[in-house]
Amino acid sequence: MTALRTIKLNLLLTWMSIGSVVLTGVLLLTSLYFYQKANIEHTILENNNAYARKLAETADRVIGISQQELAYSASKIHSLNDYQTMVDEADRLRLQSGFFNSVIVVNDRGIILATSPESLNLRGIGLQSKANKNALKTRKLYISQPFFTGTTGRYVIFLSAPLFDHAGNYLGYIGGSIYLKQKSILNQIISTHFYNYSANVSIVSNDGHIIFNKDPNKVGSQIGIDDQLKKMLRQNMSGTYVINHDEATQLLGVGSLTKTDWNVFVYADGSLVNDIMLSTIRQSVWFIILILVFTSLLSFILSTLIAQPLRRLAILSASKPTAHVVEEIRQIDAWYYEANKLKVSISAGMVSTIKQVKNLDREASTDPLTGLLNRRGFMTLASVSGKHSENALISLDLDHFKRVNDTWGHDTGDKVLVMVSGILKTICRETDLVGRFGGEEFVIMLPGTSTENAEKIAKRIRCTIEQEKHPQLPSVTISAGIAALEDADSIDEAIKMTDIALYEAKDKGRNRVVLYRSLCSQPLTSGVQSASSTHA
């Protein structure tokens, strides 16, 4: 019955997964078709509008600065009799900022008095253009509509500022021309832009004439715009529009300039929406297919995955309880209730067993009185730590400790041992091994420490114990012997060397530190010869 139930579950999960993926895919594609196309078109229009308004603001700023430059130059010219001053000011105005392709100084009768560059050879020529007449008539800052010049035949716009003498009499104007089909600062602003879409950017008049475009052939041409858009342009209103231009639908964003009746058009081809839609649908279809394959395989093997955590738990529960095994059990993905409860129970049981084993091992390796390592624990850890290039061993023994026990009692003697153990724990590093080998004998292993440094540490221990004063305990001293592990073939032999040095310290009067290496170059005292004698 269990097997039959498992088969039914596999079939149910498989068909539910496949059906969910197919239904989700159909709904996703349907939503893309009905909603995303309009959203994409709206996003492109809004982006175009924002970019057009930014460019319009920049163009306004450029025109405003150019008018300020003209006004400043006009304020420097108060007489039309100084030809060199007029030429110098015209050259400065043309070359300083790069706003104008050419600059002219004209008197109140429309006669050109000075030009920059002088190579234009326009001096003395009378201007008859509408822009010239309007500039003379307005007698204030003026911006013309685009027009073809009769003198050079270029398609230009013209900006001018009036000239007055010191008495306030009108003299004429100084004007700058911007060539619309050649390199200019406005042309650079329109031609150089960074935009996500393949957008086309133009400056267009209110009646639809292209004033600026990176393609010179389009400058002066007409864009087909309807009456509603023309009305909006005349009202200097920015916005978004869908127009037909060059026999194609264009998604248009408009930004109106405030200083002229020009507008920045940023428009993208309407086919861009279809391209984005096709790309999105293509990616979605592949994604849906991938999910369908994945979920089908997942549903097919689901029944096997149900048994997998139980099988893994059975294997690990038969293993020896260790921290690594417990960690492996905790990492098992028991994703349903029964397996998870079983995992928690086995893990808790192993943790309890490991703690009990560690406690027993700790008790077997630790001196119960002082909490230091006993001989067994010390030798076990020393065999691992004794692989450094420099290792030093210190054996120390309390002087006349038998007298302390006989005079003060064994309880007091135990307190003295605890006090000495506390001093050793304080002075030694965490990486050092400190052990009590029985009675009043202690052994210290200093990994990575030379015998010279070990001698300093032993002397520090000796001085600290000697200076330790306790109102309820007698004062004690120690004797210590030091040896280098590298001088011996084993840890046992190194400990015997420290014992020999310790006996020498005892025989020399106690309360001192002796280095084993120092004994190799001098005869030993008689007391040292008996390495098996009891420390006094």
Side-chain angles (χ1 to χ4, degrees), residues 456-499:
K456 294 178 182 178
I457 294 172
K459 289 180 178 180
R460 180 184 172 193
I461 293 172
R462 183 194 65 78
C463 292
T464 302
I465 293 174
E466 182 182 18
Q467 296 170 5
E468 181 72 18
K469 303 298 180 183
H470 195 283
Q472 298 178 354
L473 297 178
S475 299
V476 294
T477 61
I478 64 164
S479 300
I482 302 172
L485 186 58
E486 61 187 25
D487 294 338
D489 294 332
S490 65
I491 295 176
D492 287 329
E493 184 179 347
I495 293 176
K496 291 179 181 179
M497 292 178 178
T498 61
D499 282 342

Side-chain angles (χ1 to χ4, degrees), residues 352-408:
S352 177
T353 302
I354 292 172
K355 287 182 178 179
Q356 292 178 7
V357 172
K358 284 185 176 180
N359 289 335
L360 293 174
D361 186 65
R362 188 182 302 110
E363 291 175 1
S365 302
T366 305
D367 175 50
L369 176 63
T370 62
L372 300 177
L373 295 171
N374 58 20
R375 179 184 291 271
R376 175 179 176 273
F378 183 91
M379 296 302 292
T380 300
L381 294 178
S383 63
V384 178
S385 302
K387 299 179 181 180
H388 293 274
S389 58
E390 286 187 325
N391 295 276
L393 284 172
I394 302 175
S395 287
L396 57 92
D397 189 273
L398 273 67
D399 298 327
H400 302 298
F401 187 68
K402 185 177 183 300
R403 186 185 305 167
V404 172
N405 283 332
D406 294 343
T407 305
W408 295 76

Side-chain angles (χ1 to χ4, degrees), residues 225-234 241:
I225 56 179
D226 56 26
D227 295 337
Q228 181 182 1
L229 179 54
K230 287 182 179 180
K231 180 180 178 181
M232 294 293 182
L233 297 180
R234 286 194 296 270
Y241 308 92

Side-chain angles (χ1 to χ4, degrees), residues 418-437:
V418 172
M419 176 196 70
V420 172
S421 300
I423 293 174
L424 296 180
K425 293 176 183 178
T426 302
I427 294 178
C428 294
R429 303 167 299 181
E430 291 185 1
T431 55
D432 298 336
L433 300 180
V434 184
R436 180 189 176 201
F437 272 34

Side-chain angles (χ1 to χ4, degrees), residues 31 58 112 114 235 254 292 378 388 435 437 445-446 480 484 488:
S31 65
T58 303
I112 298 176
Q235 295 176 354
V254 177
L292 182 62
F378 183 91
H388 293 274
F437 272 34
M445 181 174 184
L446 305 172

